Each structure stands twice: as structure tokens, then as C-alpha cells.
Amino acid sequence: MKIAVFGASGFVGRNVIETLKEANMEIIVSDIKEVKNGGVDFIKADLLNYNEVSKVVKGSDIVVHLAASPLPISIEKPKLNARINIEGTLNIMDAAREHGIDKIIFSSASSLVGDVKNNLVDERHPCSPKTPYAVAKYAIEHYLRVYQELYGLDYLVFRFFNIYGQYQYPESGGLIPMVYRKLTTEGSFNVFGDGSQTRDFVYVGDVAKFYLKAIKKDIKNEVVNLGTGKGATIKEVVKVSGEVLGIEPKINYLPLRAGEIGNFVADTGKLKKLFGSVPETELWDGLRETFEWLIGGK
Ligand SMILES: NC(=O)c1ccc[n+]([C@@H]2O[C@H](COP(=O)([O-])OP(=O)(O)OC[C@H]3O[C@@H](n4cnc5c(N)ncnc54)[C@H](O)[C@@H]3O)[C@@H](O)[C@H]2O)c1
């Protein structure tokens, strides 16, 4: 079985590729920017160029789509985000149709839910996306369903929660690498409100293992949360980070920002039902792995 991976130079992509390589899967990887992935066939492709995308997809059985223009840019440039994240994904889906691909695995975002009405958040929670980025993710979930119904293209959607781990750089704006940077440089971290908001932090090594399972198992035409089902408060993340790093963190409490959401944790019932398990790495262990990588000089 041959797997084509888009977004190969990104945070999750690099982890997924390592896991697929370890499992001796045959892979072809692609991104608009090249990062050395050690002995893996790489094709540079812009999602907006159909011919380039088609070359990557051709000859593959399953497509793993992890490429995207990120959330912060979508606020500045919503049209650019729509082009890359909607039109670019449609290019992959059309190429998948053209080449008779078995299944496309898409990385969606739990933020498409918008305001949380019922925590834990399951896949049937009402969705009211609050950013252009989340609108695009929501649109693609619907395009995938419609392509399945019209053309028989099978898919699997993973709705990601807060993923952290190696290859996530502080510049990405991800909470955990930012906590690392602040604690190691200033010994303190700014928290909005009282820091009691819970989030669902998922270690990227677990995410990569679920991609391997999704490739091997015949699970298709489903939207499924990829979270742990266990909430950790922001305050807890800072404290545990301090423990792992051997630093007593000073937490500065700032006023709550407008629009800050409260608790947001995955209901993992469907994930467990389909896959038989949920991501299991404990926060302390995941943070230790992540910080060792960050300390190692990236
Ligand atoms: N990291 C998270 O916590 C998280 C949460 C929710 C959803 N997601 C989604 O998961 C996927 C992977 O996330 P990530 O954190 O690895 O993102 P990332 O930004 O690290 O990687 C995305 C990759 O897409 C590539 N890309 C951007 N524009 C492109 C284009 N026009 N053509 C080809 N490639 C292009 C980038 O070069 C980058 O390597 C994305 O779809 C993201 O939206 C991530």
C-alpha cells in the first residue's frame, strides 16, 4: 500500500512520516517547502497547482492531507486562507478522484465548533466557526461528504484538539512551546483569567499512531474527534512544565480576553468505538519528550 502525505514539512506531518517510516510503509511526501525527511521520496508541490498535486497523488492508495495555511494568517488574509485551505484541498480531492484513491484522511480542527455549549464536546455538537480558518475546515468536512455521495471518494476526518510535541516551534504560537520559551528565559508565564480553563492536550506521537491505525483499518466516511477526553487547565500545564523543567514558575494573572472560551475537551466515545483506544500519553510524559527535543536544539 502506498501513502501520499501532504504537509510533510509541518509539525504533524514530520511526526506522521517518522511513524509511517518506522512501520515500513511505502510513502511519497510533499510540501511547498522542503525539509529533509531522511530517505523519503519528496515532491515539491503547491496545493494551488493541480498538476503538481496530481503528480503526488498518482499511484497512491491513501492520501494523508496535513497541509494548511494557519489560523493567525486567516485573520489577516481570509481570502488567501480560503484559496489554500479550500481550493487547495479540492485540488487534492479532485486528484484523488482522478487517480482512484481509496481514502483521503483529512486534518480538521475542533475549533470549528466555536462556542462550547456542552462540554465534553462530541462530533454532533453544533458548529459556529469563529475564524476564516475554522470556516474552511468546516467547509471541507462538508465537501468530503458531498464528494463521497456524488463520486464515491471515501474519507476520514480527524478533528484535532490541542496537539503538542516535537517539531512544534515556539514561533508557531502553540501554547506549550511558548510556555517552554517563557519559563526558560523569564521563569514566568502570563495567564488570562484565573487559568482554570481546560483544554485537551494531545501528544503528537499519539496522533501519528492514530494515522497509522487509520491507514491500516477500514474506517471510512466518519468525522471523529482526536483528543484524549481528559482536560488539563492552562495553570496545570504551566505548573507541570515547571516541574519537568525544574523551574518554579511565576504565573502572572491578566484580565480575561474578550471571546476567550471556557472548558473545551473532546468527547472520545466515537474514537474509542471506532479505533478501540484513545491517545494515552500522560501530560507529564509528553511534556518531558517535548522539552527534551526543544532543549536538544531542534
Ligand atoms: N497543530 C495543531 O494543534 C492543529 C490543530 C487543529 C488542526 N490542525 C491541522 O492539522 C494539519 C497539520 O497541522 P500542523 O500543526 O502540522 O501545521 P503546520 O503549519 O506545521 O504544517 C502545515 C504545512 O502545510 C504546508 N503548506 C502551506 N501552504 C501550502 C501550499 N500552498 N501548498 C503545499 N503545502 C502548503 C506548510 O509549508 C507546512 O509545512 C493542518 O491542516 C492544520 O490546520 C492542527
Side-chain angles (χ1 to χ4, degrees), residues 6-14 30-33 35 45-48 53 65-71 84-85 88 106-111 133 137 158-164 167-168 172 211:
F6 288 91
S9 305
F11 158 46
V12 180
R14 293 177 76 178
S30 179
D31 202 288
I32 199 164
K33 61 171 196 257
V35 169
D46 181 346
L47 292 189
L48 293 175
V53 167
H65 177 17
L66 292 159
S69 179
L71 189 155
I84 296 173
N85 290 2
F106 178 64
S107 47
S108 190
S110 57
S111 66
Y133 168 87
K137 293 290 187 193
F158 279 131
R159 278 191 190 164
F160 289 177
F161 281 68
N162 299 67
I163 305 178
Y164 70 96
Y167 302 123
Q168 187 181 37
S172 69
Y211 269 82

Side-chain angles (χ1 to χ4, degrees), residues 54-233:
S54 178
K55 263 189 218 150
V56 180
V57 171
K58 191 177 177 186
S60 302
D61 300 291
I62 290 183
V63 171
V64 169
H65 177 17
L66 292 159
S69 179
L71 189 155
I73 296 176
S74 85
I75 311 286
E76 304 295 322
K77 297 181 175 171
K79 216 192 305 180
L80 176 74
N81 180 272
R83 287 197 64 218
I84 296 173
N85 290 2
I86 299 179
E87 188 187 328
T89 300
L90 291 176
N91 277 337
I92 296 180
M93 290 161 63
D94 282 341
R97 275 207 298 146
E98 182 187 338
H99 299 298
I101 296 305
D102 292 344
K103 178 166 77 177
I104 171 167
I105 308 176
F106 178 64
S107 47
S108 190
S110 57
S111 66
L112 58 71
V113 162
D115 288 326
V116 175
K117 293 188 167 49
N118 316 304
N119 195 50
L120 308 172
V121 176
D122 71 14
E123 294 81 357
R124 283 171 303 181
H125 190 289
C127 294
S128 183
K130 289 196 173 307
T131 59
Y133 168 87
V135 169
K137 293 290 187 193
Y138 196 38
I140 291 301
E141 289 192 1
H142 286 282
Y143 273 115
L144 285 164
R145 176 181 53 74
V146 168
Y147 267 48
Q148 205 291 320
E149 288 163 7
L150 290 177
Y151 315 121
L153 174 66
D154 288 331
Y155 67 89
L156 179 68
V157 171
F158 279 131
R159 278 191 190 164
F160 289 177
F161 281 68
N162 299 67
I163 305 178
Y164 70 96
Q166 48 271 42
Y167 302 123
Q168 187 181 37
Y169 296 95
E171 300 72 41
S172 69
L175 178 78
I176 284 171
M178 274 169 44
V179 167
Y180 168 82
R181 180 182 267 177
K182 282 281 189 186
L183 292 191
T184 52
T185 55
E186 296 166 24
S188 65
F189 193 76
N190 294 342
V191 162
F192 296 97
D194 63 2
S196 65
Q197 317 90 306
T198 50
R199 296 286 181 273
D200 193 328
F201 294 96
V202 192
Y203 179 57
V204 73
D206 291 341
V207 171
K209 283 186 194 149
F210 270 86
Y211 269 82
L212 185 59
K213 286 187 193 181
I215 286 165
K216 291 187 167 173
K217 282 178 183 263
D218 187 30
I219 300 170
K220 58 191 183 192
N221 308 328
E222 299 282 359
V223 174
V224 59
N225 283 343
L226 190 43
T228 65
K230 289 188 220 160
T233 66

